[in-house]
Amino acid sequence: MVIKFNELRRSNRIRDFLLALFLFVAGFMGGRFHLASHNIDRSLIALETYIFGTGLMVASGRGFYEPDMQAVPELRAFLLGEIHSLDPEILPAEIPHAKPVANASYASEYHMYLNYATAFFWRLFGISRESLEPLAALMLGWTAVAAFGLMRLRINRILACLLALFFTFSPPVLVMLPHLRDFSKAPFLLTLILILGHLGLRRPTGIKLFFWAAGLGVLHGIAMGFRQDALIFVPLSVVVLIILVLLNWYKETGARIWRGAAPLLRCSISVPTYLLLFMFTAWPMLVRMDGGADPFHPLVQGYSIKHMQNLGIRPAVYYPHASSQDNYTFNTYYHHYRRTNNLPNAHFTYDSAGAQEAGRQWLMEMSFRFPADLLVRGYASVLRTLRYADAFLPSGSSGTHAAYHHLDAWHQAFANHMHRFGLIYAVMVLLIISSHNPFLGLCVFIFCMYLCGYASLQSEMRHTFHLAFVPFWVAGTLLTFALQGTVQLWRHALQKPDRGRPNRECTSEGGSPASWQLACRRMLVFSLAASALTLLPLWMLRIYQHHTARATVGP
């Protein structure tokens, strides 16, 4: 029996591997086709001048540094798309470094691994935009595999494959594909979510948990070299690992947890392992998180009216600032700093240490004066994600081929459906999970609230497109539960009762009144806990905000 079970598990893994391989090839080939079909006069690949100049220096064998674009017009012309390719032989023998900014870093320095990746492809295929299309296609293939893994956490194999394909070639993913700076985070973040989901559902112990934590730390640190967004997953990863450590500790010691100091130490080694490896691989970026890497500037932008509208919420009686344009945003917290600190002559430039401090002060004051509105933005982001709002793009954004029009129509039809029922479906999925395990249901609820809510910090499609897998996962999981329930009811109906034991055999565990009552009690406990976690913080913050905001917006 054990041998048959092992053979079945091995067979299932082989099937999953073959489907993952198929999805990778489909994603890669689809990405190549998408980029090539738009490559009429030049490639769609977008290159920011303030990021990829360093990659050009590495590709031309000059080392990792920020070049002075004004001193070498050819570099700037290539990155702006004025010329299609660049021959390193025509560049000057000495390219000066960009003028240093006091106490500040360049944006390219915290995109280090992305620059090395682009430089590698430029060294292979020559310096041109077309040379980076294979890199974008590889990332799309990886994204498809990660999406399949996420779907497989709760969804059957074939349906998971179809949903992963549907997500991979969705309008928001295809629109963001040419933008390497923003798209490159998608495969990393989806893989991080997959690993955390796998840890939460499978709950590995001992050496397995240690290696999973080590792999998570290395991958997470590398992701930091592609996009700063990965930093938001550090608290989530630590919390998941701590919960696993506590569960494993309790499982190993039983009720005598006070005698389990040694097992606790043995279990908890995974948390520092993750943190150490994350710090080791992310250290080149973390030490440069200032100046151009100012994390407060984009957070201030998130308070603009435009981002409020992206979240689908109306602004309050106050208007923090009307535009998210960089110069306008900088001007907002620049004058706020001078006014609130009584420093009318203070002066600092954009992307400087002074700008970072001014942005921090503005953000802290808004957060402490209007915390309830900040939480509402998080809830709105969750609802926006469940509704698949990123499917609605201008006509022709994905492409002009007839296939793109059909693809857009399918996705918009699904988005229209999820706009009405997405929240209901998500609640149903959580209730079904909690009917078996209320603690797991509550963990999934908190995990999803954090995962979908963090995008409210700056609600732009380039920050949220990778979360478009969530409505597909919700719909697929609910459909899987429905099919499993239907099969179980059908089998139960076909069971022939034993005349000798009619009550026990006819009413199996899945269909007995006692099991239904237990499931209902579990769902009730989960519903009360989830409602309390959702409504109580909002209610308390509303009371606090009412008193603190009166001095600001009151008469």
Side-chain angles (χ1 to χ4, degrees), residues 138-301:
L138 285 172
M139 289 184 173
L140 185 63
W142 180 3
T143 299
V145 173
F148 174 68
L150 285 167
M151 302 300 173
R152 281 292 289 142
L153 291 178
R154 280 291 179 179
I155 303 173
N156 69 69
R157 188 175 293 108
I158 301 301
L159 182 58
C161 181
L162 294 176
L163 290 174
L165 275 176
F166 206 51
F167 161 74
T168 302
F169 298 109
S170 62
V173 173
L174 292 180
V175 167
M176 293 307 304
L177 178 62
H179 303 271
L180 283 178
R181 183 194 66 159
D182 294 304
F183 185 81
S184 62
K185 70 181 179 184
F188 286 98
L189 298 189
L190 292 179
T191 306
L192 290 176
I193 299 170
L194 171 59
I195 293 175
L196 294 176
H198 175 83
L199 292 177
L201 292 177
R202 303 293 186 265
R203 290 172 54 180
T205 60
I207 193 66
K208 289 184 179 180
L209 180 59
F210 171 81
F211 281 114
W212 276 110
L216 180 67
V218 172
L219 181 68
H220 200 170
I222 295 174
M224 283 293 298
F226 283 80
R227 202 70 176 97
Q228 280 180 284
D229 300 45
L231 190 62
I232 203 73
F233 282 82
V234 173
L236 190 62
S237 302
V238 171
V239 169
V240 169
L241 289 175
I242 289 176
I243 291 175
L244 283 174
V245 166
L246 295 177
L247 290 176
N248 291 340
W249 179 42
Y250 181 80
K251 180 180 179 181
E252 189 170 343
T253 59
R256 302 178 179 180
I257 57 176
W258 60 88
R259 300 181 182 178
L264 177 61
L265 292 175
R266 188 166 58 252
C267 295
S268 61
I269 192 65
S270 59
V271 179
T273 298
Y274 158 74
L275 291 174
L276 286 174
L277 289 175
F278 167 76
M279 292 292 293
F280 177 77
T281 50
W283 189 254
M285 284 66 64
L286 294 176
V287 296
R288 308 302 295 175
M289 296 286 281
D290 54 16
D294 177 10
F296 302 111
H297 179 85
L299 298 182
V300 175
Q301 287 178 309

